[in-house]
Amino acid sequence: MATPTYRLGVDVGGTFTDLLLLETQSGITRRAKVPSTPEDQSVAVTHGIEELLATLPNHADLVVETINHGSTVATNAILEKTGAKVALIVTEGYKDVLQTRRSQVPGGLASWIIWQKPEPLAPLELTVEAPGRISTDGNEIDEFDKEVFIERLQALHSMEVDAFTVSFINAFANPDHELQARSVLSEVFPDKPVSLSSEVLPEMMEYERTVTTVANSYIEPRVSSYLNNLLRSLEGQTKHLRILRSDGGLSSIPLACKYPVATALSGPAGGVSGVASLIAAETRFKNLITLDMGGTSTDVALIENGTPKIRRETKIGDLVIRSPSVDVRTVGAGGGSIVHVPEVTKAVRVGPSSAGALPGPACYSKGGKVATVTDANAVCGYLPEYLLGGKFKLDLDAARDSVREVSRKIGVTVSEAAEGILKVVNETMYGALRVVSVEQGYDPRDFSLVAFGGAGPLHACALGKLLGSWPVIVPPSPGVLCARGDATALLRHEVSTTFIRKFSQTTPEQLLSSFDVLLQKASQIMREEQGVSNERQVYKYQLDMRYIGQALSVNVSFDISTFRENGLSYARDVFEVEHERLFTYKLDNDMEIINLRLTVEELKLETKMREIEQASGDVPEGAIQYKTILIYDDKEYDSPVWIRSELKRGHILYGPCVITEMDSNTLILPGYKAEIDHVGNILIWEVLQPSSKAESIPATDQRDSTLSTVVTDIFENALRNARNEMDTLLTTVTMSPAIREQQDEFNVIAEPSGKMIVGQFGSFIGQLLRMWKGTIEPGDIFITNDPYSVGGSISHLNDYLVCLPIFVGEKLIAWAAQFGHHTDTGGSVPGSLPTSASQIFEEGIQIPVTKLASKGVWNADMMELIYRNSRLPDWVQSDTKALVAACNLAARRMIELYQRFGDKLYFEAIDELLERNKKAISSIFDKSTPDKPVYYEDWIDDDGKGVGPWKIACTMSKENGRLNFDFTGTDPQSSSSVNFYLSDNMWKMFVGIYLITVYDPNTVVNDGFHDLIDFHVPLGTILNPVRPAALSTRTHLLGRVMDLLCGLLGQKAPEFMTAGGFSDSPHFFFSGWRPDGSWFELYQIGFGGIPGRPAGDGMDGHCLWPAMKSVPNEFLELYYPLRIEQYSTVTDSGGAGLYRGGNGQRIHYRFLDEGEISLHDDRWLSKPFGVLGGDPGARSSKVLVRDGKRQVLPSKIDHIKVSKGDLLEWVTWGGGGWGDPLRRDPELVLLEVRRRLISIEGARRYGVVIKNVAVDHKATEKLRQEMAVAKKDIGIFNRGGTWEELLENCYAETGLQPPVPPGKHPMRGPHTGLPHIRQWMAEHGQTLPTLPRTAGMNSIGKEV
C-alpha cells in the first residue's frame, strides 16, 4: 500500500486561521480552525498545523508534501500602514508623482469638500530626484549622473530607510538608468532591498508603475521576514512551503519575497480557487459566480469554464496597484456591517462601517449596541441561537433592541425593519455580483452562485433569486473553503513586456519572437526558482490590445498554435469578439498591441475527491437539531434547523429551513429546496423550475407588493449601479482624452417627463422635450451639441449629447442621456474651443436636436456629415457610438427594474425617491441656510480680448422654505467666448449636491427638490447670453460659479465655507502635422490647488471636478511630439491657513516638432481667495521659452506657433487658505518644509521659524505674537487686495498689461437692445446706439 501524501492549505483571517489537510490519493480531508494571532500570524499557523497533524497516525514522522499558505500579511501591512519606511527615487522633475496621484478626487461633484487624501506609502520627504532621462522609444536623452545622485542621497542617511523604490519615466522602454541607480544604492545603502519599476511592472503609465513598485517595497521586509521565519519553524514538517498569489497561483518563498506585491490579495484568491477545485472540477457546473461573505465585507468573483477571471489591478483599501489578481470585487457589506438611518433622508444605509470583532454585533454580547446585519438575521430567526457547535450563545433580546431603534426611525415593526436591513444589504451584494457578471458582458442566468464564508450561505438563496443563478451551491465546510483552495492551488509565474505597435505594422514573426523571449524567461524562473521541470509547465499567452486612440486596453487570451496557423487575423478576431462582448460594439479602426504577457503554470495534479454516502430514504427526524420561528415576507414559519453532518447524497429539504454546521448556516427560503449532491454540496433550486430565462422568477415571489422605505432604498441602489455602469463603459472605450482619462462625461437617467432620477449635472431631458415638436417612438435616439437647443444643459459644442427614450412595449418608462466632451468638432481652431470667437459659428458644427436613429434605423448620412466636420473623424465616430452604447446599457437596466418591480411599484419608487430628495433638501434649507439674504460676487479676469474683469453676482434669499437665487448685478455678455449659459437645472443640481454631500453623501441626488429653488439670471448677461453669443471658453465661468456657490452657502453655514480655488479647469491644446503626414491634436485639462476646507487642507495638484484625472505623461510622450520635463507641485502656491490651500502644478512641455498651441486659463490676475483669516492662493502663469528668451503669454490665446526645442512653462493656481495660519501646528509646517510643499521662507507666513531643519519654538512664538498684533481684519474673504490694487500692480506682478473694464469697452451684440442692458451701458457711461425697428429681436427674428 502506497504511503499517503498530503497537501495542506492554510488561510489566515482576521479572527480565525483555517487549515485543511488533503490526502491526495483518497480525497479525505481534515480541517481545523484556530484563533488567529495578528501580532504574529505564524504562531496560529504552526499551532493549527500541530493540531491537525496530531489527528493522523504516525504523525511524528509525517512530512507534508507541500504547505500552501494564503496570507494577509501583505494586505494587513497596507491597510494598517505598518509596512516599511520606503524611499522613492524618481526622475528629476517628478518628485510629486505619488503626491498628485493623477490628480483624481474620487466621488461626485462636491466630494472634494469632505474627501481625505490618503498618505502615499513613500512619503514626499523620502523622495529623491535622480538626474538622467530616457525617451519613450528607449533612447537616452540625458545621461544618468552617478556623482550628483550620490550627493542627493546623503540626506537619507539620517532617515532610517528600510527599503528603496526606483521608478523612472519611461523605464518600461529601457531599464538602464534604473539598473544604474540600483547599483549606486547597493553601494551607499548595502543590505537594503531595492525594487525597480522595470522589473516589478515593466508597463507604460508612470503613476501606476510607481505606486505598484512602492507597494512592493513597502511590504517586502515584513513579508520576507514572516515567510522566512515560518519556513524555519516548519523545518522538517514539510518538503515545500508556498505562498498563494493574488491571481490564485502559488509562488515559491524566494519569489514571493522578491515580488510580494503579487501576494497582496492572497486571501480572497484562495476562496475562488477553492470553488474552482471543489465545484468546477468535481461537478457539472463550470460557470460559477462566487460569494464570500465575512464579518466586514463581501468578495465576489466569476469563474468561466472552470477558470477564474483575472484582472490586471488589485485594490486594497484606497490603494490601487497594477498586479494580476483574481477579479474579486469587494463591498462593505458583511455580517458586522452597521445599520444607520441619516436624519435628512430617513433611508436605511448598511455599511461600509463595521462593528468588527469588538464591540461586534449586539447579539454577540461584547458591547455592541448598534444594529448590524447579523442582528437582523438573528431577529428573523435565520441564525440558530447557538453557534460554533453550541459553544457560542446569541443574545436575541439585544439583537431585537438594536433593530428596534432602526424600526423607530423608519416607522415600521421590528421584524419589518430586520427584513428591510437584509434586503438592503442583499441589494448591495447584488450590485457587486452584477459588476463581475452583467458589467463584463455575462448573463448571470448562465451561471450558478456559490456561497461560502461565515455569512454567505445565509444570504445565498435570496441572492440567487435576484440573479436568477441556479442552482445556488453551498460547498461543504464553507467557512474553510479558502484553505481548500490553497491546498489545491498550482505554482504559477507571469512575465510581460511592453510592445506598443500598430496592428497594421506588426508581423506574426515579430510577435512570436517577442513571445519566445518571454517563454525562455518564464520557463527558466519556473525551473530554477519554483522547481518545476519543463515537461510539467503549461503556458498561456495574452495580448493587451485596443483600437488606436483608446487609452484602456482589452486583455485577450489566445491559443499560440492557432496563431501560428492563422496569423494576425486570428488575434484581430479574438480582440473584436471580446470588445463587442464587453462594450456591445466594434469598430473598423486599426488596432494596436500594447503589452505581451505569458503565464506559466505547473501541470495540474490529479487529486481524488471523496464522495459521500448515498441516502437510503428521506431525511431522518434525528437530523433536526431543533425547531425555530423564521420570519420571511412578514410571515412567521415554524421551521426545522437541520444538522448538515447528518445529511447524505440525495437528501432533499424544503424551505423554509436552516441547515447548520460548525462554521456556517444555510438558509432555504419558502418556495425553494435543497438537494445534497455526491460530494456533499448543497444545491438550492426553485421548487417550480422556470420554463425559460424570461420567466426566471415567478412574479408572486419576485416582487414586493407595496412600497416601503426598503423597496425605495433597493431601487435607489439599482439606479446608482446603472449610472456607474454607464461611467465605466464611457471611460473605458472612448478615444477623446477628455472623456476617457479626464472623465468629462456625465449621464442622466430620467423618468418619462424628464425629471432626473439619477445623475450629476441636472437633467437634459426636460429642455430637450420643450424644444422637440416631433414624435418620440421606440428605437429613436436623439443627438445634439447645441447649448441653445437644450437651455444650457450642455455648455459648448464639444459636448455631444445623446438621449434615448426607454420603452416597454409602447409605454415610455424612462429616458437615458449621456454626454461626452469630443476633442474636436470643427471650428476656427484645433480643439474647437477658440478663445477669441465672437459668435458660436466660429466654434464648430452645430447639431440641433435631431434623431440620430428613428425607429431603430441609424441616420448614416447625417452622422457622415458630422464626422466630416471634425479634424478627428474616427474619434467622433467611435465616441458617438460609445455614447449610444452607454444609453442602451441604461435602457436595459431600467427595463430590468421595470420588470422586476412591476409597473405600479416602479413608478411609486421613482415618485418616492423624488419626494425623499425634496424632503431632505428642504430640511437642510431650514437648518443651514440663513433667513436673511446673502450676497456674493466674484470675477473672471478677462475675456481673451483684453477686457475684464467680468463680474458674476448673486443674492440668495429664503422665503416659505424656498431658496431664491437672483443673479441680478451680473455683467452683460461678452463679445468674446467666455460666456456661460447657466442652465437652471444645472444650478439647482449644484446646490443640491453641495448640500447633500455634507449630510448624506450616499444619497442618489435627483430633481425632486427643484421646485424648492427659484432661479433668475437676467437675459443678455454673461451667464444667460443671447444667441449667437460664443461659448467655447465658458470653463472659467463654470468654475467661478462653484466659488460663488461656496461663498453664498458658507457665509452663514460654516460646514460649507471653503476657500477659493475651483477657479477653472485650464486647457492646453497642441496640434500640427507630423513628418509622415499624419495629424496630431492634443487637448489636456490641467489641475491646481484644492482650497482649504472645514475638513482640512486642500490637496496639491488635484482636480475639483468629479473623478477627473490627468493623462499619463508617458502616454503623451508616446503619441505626441513633446516631452514633459517637469511635472510637480509649486512650493508655497497654496494660501496659508489653519488648513492650507493645495499647491498648484508646474508642467514644462518641451516641443519636439513644430505645431500650434492654444491656452485657456484664468486667475492670472485675481487670486483664489482665502477665508476666515486664511491667505489667498498664488496666481497662474504661462511662459514660452524660445531661444533663451522668456515670453509671458496671455491667459487666453490661440494660434501660437511653436518650434522644435521651445519650452512652455505652465503653472496653475494654488488654493486659498482656510482659517488663521498662526493656529497651524508648527511641527506640521516643518514636515511640509521637508516635503518641499512649503519653503523655509514660506513657513514664516504661518509665523513659524525654521532653523537647522527644526522649529525654533522661541522665535516662532515671538513672530506669531508680532503677526497677530499687525494682522488686519479684512472680513470673511481675503482676495489679496482690492480690484483697484490688483489692476494697478498688474504689469509689475504678472508681466501682462491690465485688462480694460467692460464698462469702458464699447458694447455691441444681440443683447444691447434689452432694456436692462441699455441701463447698464448708460450707468457705465457708454453711448447708447439708436434702436432700429427690429430692436428686441435675436438673429433669427424671435423676440428675446
Side-chain angles (χ1 to χ4, degrees):
M1 184 176 177
T3 302
T5 58
Y6 296 92
R7 293 170 70 90
L8 176 63
V10 182
D11 179 68
V12 178
T15 306
F16 291 103
T17 293
D18 299 321
L19 302 94
L20 185 138
L21 188 68
L22 171 65
E23 185 181 325
T24 57
Q25 292 91 338
S26 67
I28 295 174
T29 61
R30 291 173 173 82
R31 58 192 173 112
K33 183 181 283 283
V34 298
S36 292
T37 49
E39 66 283 358
D40 183 356
Q41 292 186 9
S42 65
V43 173
V45 173
T46 53
H47 285 172
I49 292 173
E50 290 170 1
E51 179 180 316
L52 200 55
L53 295 183
T55 65
L56 296 173
N58 303 318
H59 65 274
D61 300 324
L62 178 69
V63 177
V64 178
E65 181 68 23
T66 176
I67 295 178
N68 300 335
H69 182 16
S71 169
T72 57
V73 170
T75 311
N76 292 344
I78 293 171
L79 291 176
E80 298 165 3
K81 302 291 189 283
T82 56
K85 193 173 185 179
V86 180
L88 173 62
I89 314 301
V90 297
T91 299
E92 199 166 55
Y94 281 80
K95 70 178 176 64
D96 295 304
V97 63
L98 294 185
Q99 184 76 5
T100 54
R101 54 189 304 281
R102 291 193 67 185
S103 300
Q104 186 181 39
V105 173
L109 181 63
S111 296
W112 62 273
I113 296 177
I114 59 174
W115 182 66
Q116 299 294 329
K117 183 176 79 69
E119 284 292 317
L121 298 184
L124 195 52
E125 65 269 25
L126 297 183
T127 301
V128 174
E129 298 174 80
R133 190 63 151 83
I134 298 292
S135 67
T136 53
D137 60 8
N139 290 322
E140 185 178 70
I141 299 166
D142 298 312
E143 291 183 355
F144 178 82
D145 193 320
K146 178 179 178 179
E147 299 305 318
V148 171
F149 181 47
I150 291 175
E151 182 180 343
R152 292 178 180 176
L153 288 174
Q154 299 311 305
L156 296 180
H157 281 289
S158 61
M159 300 290 191
E160 298 180 352
V161 173
D162 298 318
F164 288 87
T165 287
V166 182
S167 184
F168 291 159
I169 289 294
N170 298 320
F172 70 90
N174 182 350
D176 182 62
H177 283 189
E178 288 195 350
L179 294 171
Q180 292 186 56
R182 179 164 62 187
S183 177
V184 171
L185 289 169
S186 65
E187 296 174 12
V188 180
F189 295 95
D191 303 323
K192 298 293 183 183
V194 180
S195 296
L196 304 185
S197 76
S198 54
E199 293 180 348
V200 174
L201 186 67
E203 299 177 7
M204 184 173 64
M205 298 175 73
E206 67 276 5
Y207 169 74
E208 287 76 2
R209 193 172 64 252
T210 301
V211 74
T212 300
T213 311
V214 166
N216 196 75
S217 293
Y218 186 76
I219 61 180
E220 193 274 340
R222 184 167 170 182
V223 170
S224 294
S225 174
Y226 169 73
L227 291 179
N228 285 314
N229 287 340
L230 181 61
L231 188 63
R232 283 192 291 270
S233 69
L234 295 175
E235 188 173 352
Q237 297 183 61
T238 182
K239 295 180 180 178
H240 305 286
L241 174 64
R242 292 159 179 168
I243 189 78
L244 193 72
R245 295 160 46 100
S246 302
D247 61 4
L250 293 172
S251 174
S252 66
I253 298 305
L255 269 183
C257 292
K258 185 176 182 181
Y259 301 117
V261 74
T263 71
L265 272 186
S266 173
V272 182
S273 297
V275 171
S277 67
L278 182 63
I279 311 296
E282 300 293 338
T283 74
R284 60 188 174 90
F285 306 109
K286 308 299 181 186
N287 291 337
L288 307 166
I289 300 173
T290 69
L291 174 82
D292 180 3
M293 185 178 183
T296 302
S297 61
T298 296
D299 298 325
V300 301
L302 183 139
I303 297 172
E304 183 183 24
N305 294 324
T307 302
K309 301 296 289 185
I310 303 295
R311 63 172 170 165
R312 307 313 308 170
E313 66 182 24
T314 299
K315 184 174 183 181
I316 304 173
D318 295 315
L319 185 70
V320 179
I321 54 180
R322 286 288 175 88
S323 179
S325 66
V326 174
D327 189 5
V328 173
R329 304 302 172 101
T330 302
V331 290
S337 293
I338 291 173
V339 183
H340 59 289
V341 180
E343 187 65 31
V344 294
T345 56
K346 299 295 185 183
V348 177
R349 308 291 187 206
V350 181
S353 299
S354 174
L358 289 174
C363 62
Y364 280 11
S365 301
K366 294 183 178 181
K369 301 295 183 184
V370 182
T372 66
V373 173
T374 296
D375 294 309
N377 274 309
V379 169
C380 290
Y382 302 163
L383 276 175
E385 188 173 359
Y386 289 89
L387 302 179
L388 299 178
K391 299 177 182 177
F392 188 85
K393 184 177 186 296
L394 296 181
D395 186 343
L396 299 183
D397 289 337
R400 293 188 190 97
D401 289 342
S402 68
V403 175
R404 185 174 291 109
E405 183 63 19
V406 176
S407 72
R408 183 187 62 79
K409 291 181 178 180
I410 63 176
V412 299
T413 67
V414 172
S415 61
E416 286 173 331
E419 284 200 87
I421 291 166
L422 298 181
K423 288 179 180 179
V424 170
V425 76
N426 285 343
E427 193 69 24
T428 300
M429 292 185 285
Y430 176 51
L433 291 164
R434 290 176 64 91
V435 168
V436 298
S437 57
V438 176
E439 288 191 27
Q440 306 302 319
Y442 296 103
D443 187 336
R445 293 170 297 186
D446 295 331
F447 290 74
S448 297
L449 178 66
V450 182
F452 55 100
L458 275 178
H459 297 257
C461 193
L463 288 166
K465 185 173 71 168
L466 289 171
L467 283 170
S469 300
W470 305 109
V472 171
I473 305 173
V474 181
S477 305
V480 296
L481 189 67
C482 289
R484 180 176 188 92
D486 297 343
T488 55
L490 302 171
L491 285 164
R492 181 182 299 166
H493 190 68
E494 178 183 285
V495 292
S496 65
T497 186
T498 297
F499 189 75
I500 308 181
R501 202 162 301 175
K502 287 183 179 180
F503 202 76
S504 59
Q505 298 175 0
T506 303
T507 67
E509 291 73 23
Q510 291 171 330
L511 269 177
L512 290 170
S513 176
S514 295
F515 269 123
D516 282 343
V517 173
L518 292 179
L519 177 63
Q520 296 303 318
K521 180 179 179 181
S523 180
Q524 181 179 358
I525 290 173
M526 282 293 282
R527 187 175 58 252
E528 297 179 1
E529 299 190 48
Q530 305 260 54
V532 181
S533 61
N534 285 4
E535 60 271 15
R536 292 192 54 79
Q537 295 180 14
V538 179
Y539 309 104
K540 298 177 182 178
Y541 296 80
Q542 294 178 330
L543 298 172
D544 289 345
M545 298 177 65
R546 63 189 178 204
Y547 290 115
I548 292 176
Q550 291 179 332
L552 295 178
S553 55
V554 174
N555 177 255
V556 295
S557 299
F558 67 99
D559 179 71
I560 194 69
S561 299
T562 308
F563 178 79
R564 293 182 191 277
E565 294 176 9
N566 300 326
L568 292 170
S569 62
Y570 165 65
R572 181 191 297 109
D573 292 343
V574 171
F575 166 74
E576 290 186 335
V577 167
E578 184 68 3
H579 193 280
E580 191 165 18
R581 183 183 68 80
L582 288 170
F583 311 119
T584 73
Y585 69 95
K586 59 183 179 181
L587 300 170
D588 295 328
N589 302 24
D590 195 6
M591 297 165 289
E592 60 183 347
I593 301 169
I594 305 301
N595 299 308
L596 311 183
R597 189 171 292 108
L598 187 142
T599 303
V600 57
E601 191 171 77
E602 67 175 318
L603 197 63
K604 184 176 180 179
L605 299 172
E606 293 299 327
T607 56
K608 186 175 180 180
M609 187 70 186
R610 191 184 188 193
E611 298 187 2
I612 67 170
E613 181 183 347
Q614 176 71 46
S616 59
D618 294 337
V619 188
E621 288 292 321
I624 297 177
Q625 189 175 68
Y626 62 90
K627 290 288 189 77
T628 188
I629 300 298
L630 300 186
I631 300 172
Y632 179 72
D633 203 13
D634 206 27
K635 297 177 183 177
E636 292 187 354
Y637 296 87
D638 187 17
S639 307
V641 176
W642 298 96
I643 303 170
R644 185 168 186 176
S645 60
E646 298 294 324
L647 303 179
K648 296 180 172 54
R649 178 179 180 178
H651 276 154
I652 296 178
L653 308 173
Y654 289 88
C657 67
V658 174
I659 303 172
T660 188
E661 55 190 306
M662 186 192 76
D663 55 358
S664 192
N665 297 278
T666 301
L667 173 66
I668 313 300
L669 294 173
Y672 296 86
K673 65 179 181 180
E675 176 186 346
I676 310 303
D677 76 359
H678 65 292
V679 290
N681 294 310
I682 299 172
L683 308 182
I684 303 174
W685 302 90
E686 295 173 292
V687 173
L688 296 175
Q689 285 296 308
S691 59
S692 69
K693 282 186 180 179
E695 303 169 50
S696 59
I697 304 171
T700 55
D701 192 35
Q702 178 183 7
R703 300 174 182 162
D704 290 90
S705 57
T706 58
L707 187 68
S708 65
T709 298
V710 170
V711 170
T712 307
D713 295 337
I714 290 170
F715 200 94
E716 182 186 52
N717 276 334
L719 291 175
R720 181 187 292 111
N721 292 337
R723 185 191 161 208
N724 290 341
E725 285 188 67
M726 296 175 75
D727 285 333
T728 299
L729 188 150
L730 256 291
T731 56
T732 301
V733 301
T734 45
M735 296 186 176
S736 294
I739 302 175
R740 73 178 185 225
E741 298 285 354
Q742 297 171 326
Q743 300 189 25
D744 189 358
E745 56 83 23
F746 299 100
N747 47 49
V748 162
I749 299 175
E751 49 81 64
S753 71
K755 289 183 180 179
M756 185 185 82
I757 53 178
V758 64
Q760 189 155 253
F761 265 43
S763 180
F764 318 115
I765 308 301
Q767 291 92 330
L768 180 144
L769 292 175
R770 286 196 290 270
M771 174 65 65
W772 182 252
K773 304 304 179 186
T775 61
I776 300 173
E777 301 174 87
D780 288 351
I781 304 174
F782 296 86
I783 188 171
T784 184
N785 73 335
D786 179 19
Y788 291 105
S789 291
V790 287
S793 294
I794 52 175
S795 54
H796 57 183
L797 296 181
N798 291 72
D799 291 339
Y800 279 31
L801 170 64
V802 169
C803 301
L804 184 149
I806 304 171
F807 286 86
V808 172
E810 296 298 318
K811 182 166 186 173
L812 179 66
I813 65 161
W815 284 83
Q818 176 77 61
F819 88 70
H821 181 113
H822 285 47
T823 296
D824 192 283
T825 186
S828 60
V829 300
S832 311
L833 295 175
T835 60
S836 58
S838 57
Q839 297 182 344
I840 198 170
F841 309 110
E842 302 168 57
E843 298 175 0
I845 187 173
Q846 298 174 63
I847 311 169
V849 177
T850 308
K851 284 190 178 182
L852 171 60
S854 180
K855 297 181 181 179
V857 179
W858 190 265
N859 192 339
D861 291 340
M862 184 194 70
M863 291 311 302
E864 184 63 27
L865 176 66
I866 293 173
Y867 304 152
R868 290 290 184 92
N869 277 274
S870 171
R871 297 172 181 85
L872 299 167
D874 288 347
W875 287 23
V876 173
Q877 181 183 35
S878 172
D879 291 353
T880 303
K881 286 186 176 182
L883 296 177
V884 172
C887 289
N888 280 326
L889 187 154
R892 293 196 297 273
R893 300 298 171 258
M894 295 309 293
I895 292 170
E896 289 169 4
L897 272 179
Y898 181 84
Q899 293 173 340
R900 175 180 171 188
F901 287 95
D903 182 89
K904 178 177 177 292
L905 209 55
Y906 171 88
F907 285 108
E908 285 180 351
I910 289 175
D911 291 342
E912 177 59 24
L913 281 173
L914 292 169
E915 182 64 19
R916 175 189 283 182
N917 263 248
K918 182 176 180 179
K919 290 178 180 177
I921 297 297
S922 177
S923 69
I924 297 174
F925 283 178
D926 291 341
K927 296 176 182 177
S928 300
T929 56
D931 293 323
K932 294 182 179 180
V934 175
Y935 174 81
Y936 186 72
E937 61 187 18
D938 208 341
W939 295 262
I940 61 168
D941 294 345
D942 72 307
D943 65 356
K945 292 184 175 180
V947 180
W950 295 84
K951 182 176 73 173
I952 57 173
C954 186
T955 299
M956 180 180 73
S957 58
K958 184 168 70 174
E959 185 176 357
N960 298 324
R962 301 172 59 82
L963 278 188
N964 177 63
F965 295 90
D966 186 350
F967 286 80
T968 298
T970 296
D971 280 345
Q973 70 189 57
S974 168
S975 62
S976 185
S977 57
V978 293
N979 304 292
F980 171 41
Y981 189 169
L982 178 58
S983 157
D984 59 343
N985 275 355
M986 185 181 293
W987 173 258
K988 291 174 180 178
M989 190 52 53
F990 289 168
V991 173
I993 287 178
Y994 268 59
L995 293 174
I996 209 72
T997 294
V998 172
Y999 288 100
D1000 186 6
N1002 292 316
T1003 294
V1004 173
V1005 181
N1006 58 46
D1007 284 359
F1009 65 91
H1010 280 200
D1011 59 2
L1012 297 176
I1013 297 177
D1014 295 318
F1015 171 84
H1016 171 65
V1017 183
L1019 186 64
T1021 60
I1022 201 166
L1023 293 179
N1024 189 10
V1026 177
R1027 185 185 177 90
L1031 305 170
S1032 53
T1033 318
R1034 99 291 182 237
T1035 184
H1036 314 297
L1037 278 172
L1038 173 58
R1040 200 66 81 256
V1041 159
M1042 299 302 170
D1043 281 338
L1044 185 81
L1045 180 57
C1046 290
L1048 287 168
L1049 296 175
Q1051 288 185 50
K1052 302 296 182 180
E1055 62 268 31
F1056 299 108
M1057 173 56 76
T1058 71
F1062 218 113
S1063 306
D1064 68 301
S1065 49
H1067 296 355
F1068 167 65
F1069 302 85
F1070 177 40
S1071 60
W1073 296 100
R1074 297 184 180 89
D1076 64 1
S1078 60
W1079 174 259
F1080 67 86
E1081 187 173 324
L1082 169 63
Y1083 162 52
Q1084 188 174 17
I1085 298 175
F1087 309 117
I1090 302 290
R1093 317 153 291 159
D1097 293 348
M1099 286 70 77
D1100 305 297
H1102 272 63
C1103 179
L1104 295 99
W1105 295 108
M1108 284 190 176
K1109 55 185 175 181
S1110 62
V1111 180
N1113 289 316
E1114 291 176 343
F1115 182 94
L1116 296 178
E1117 293 190 9
L1118 178 67
Y1119 290 101
Y1120 299 96
L1122 51 73
R1123 185 163 57 247
I1124 317 297
E1125 295 187 344
Q1126 186 162 343
Y1127 194 86
S1128 60
T1129 61
V1130 183
T1131 303
D1132 290 334
S1133 58
L1138 171 63
Y1139 300 129
R1140 70 171 178 86
N1143 284 337
Q1145 272 191 312
R1146 176 182 297 276
I1147 308 175
H1148 288 186
Y1149 297 95
R1150 177 76 65 182
F1151 301 108
L1152 305 181
D1153 208 340
E1154 64 180 38
E1156 181 177 290
I1157 65 173
S1158 296
L1159 304 175
H1160 287 218
D1161 199 11
D1162 207 65
R1163 291 296 196 199
W1164 64 273
L1165 175 55
S1166 63
K1167 300 176 182 179
F1169 54 82
V1171 296
L1172 305 176
D1175 292 343
R1179 298 175 170 118
S1180 66
S1181 67
K1182 309 292 178 286
V1183 175
L1184 183 64
V1185 182
R1186 176 182 291 160
D1187 298 328
K1189 299 179 180 178
R1190 300 174 61 82
Q1191 175 189 357
V1192 180
L1193 298 176
S1195 70
K1196 304 168 186 69
I1197 189 169
D1198 296 322
H1199 302 301
I1200 302 175
K1201 301 292 184 182
V1202 293
S1203 301
K1204 182 177 181 179
D1206 290 352
L1207 180 73
L1208 175 66
E1209 297 178 358
W1210 163 291
V1211 176
T1212 64
W1213 70 92
W1218 189 99
D1220 186 354
L1222 301 183
R1223 295 169 55 204
R1224 191 170 178 86
D1225 183 354
E1227 294 299 327
L1228 179 56
V1229 175
L1230 171 64
L1231 176 62
E1232 295 193 320
V1233 168
R1234 294 172 58 199
R1235 291 178 171 177
R1236 290 157 287 178
L1237 298 171
I1238 299 174
S1239 67
I1240 291 179
E1241 184 60 32
R1244 299 183 70 85
R1245 296 187 299 160
Y1246 300 86
V1248 177
V1249 179
I1250 307 293
K1251 291 183 179 178
N1252 300 320
V1253 201
V1255 175
D1256 186 328
H1257 289 282
K1258 191 171 183 179
T1260 293
E1261 183 178 358
K1262 180 183 178 188
L1263 178 59
R1264 285 190 162 183
Q1265 289 174 350
E1266 293 171 352
M1267 293 175 68
V1269 171
K1271 198 173 184 71
K1272 297 179 181 178
D1273 182 9
I1274 57 176
I1276 295 176
F1277 303 98
N1278 181 358
R1279 300 181 184 278
T1282 65
W1283 267 109
E1284 290 76 13
E1285 293 168 337
L1286 294 175
L1287 290 168
E1288 180 181 350
N1289 299 320
C1290 177
Y1291 183 77
E1293 293 179 0
T1294 70
L1296 296 169
Q1297 294 296 333
V1300 177
K1304 296 182 180 180
H1305 183 77
M1307 186 161 290
R1308 291 292 184 272
H1311 61 307
T1312 53
L1314 296 169
H1316 56 282
I1317 300 299
R1318 292 177 66 80
Q1319 180 182 346
W1320 184 93
M1321 294 170 66
E1323 291 171 352
H1324 287 79
Q1326 296 199 16
T1327 302
L1328 298 179
T1330 303
L1331 292 178
R1333 183 178 61 84
T1334 57
M1337 313 284 278
N1338 68 10
S1339 59
I1340 57 175
K1342 293 184 179 179
E1343 291 188 9
V1344 296

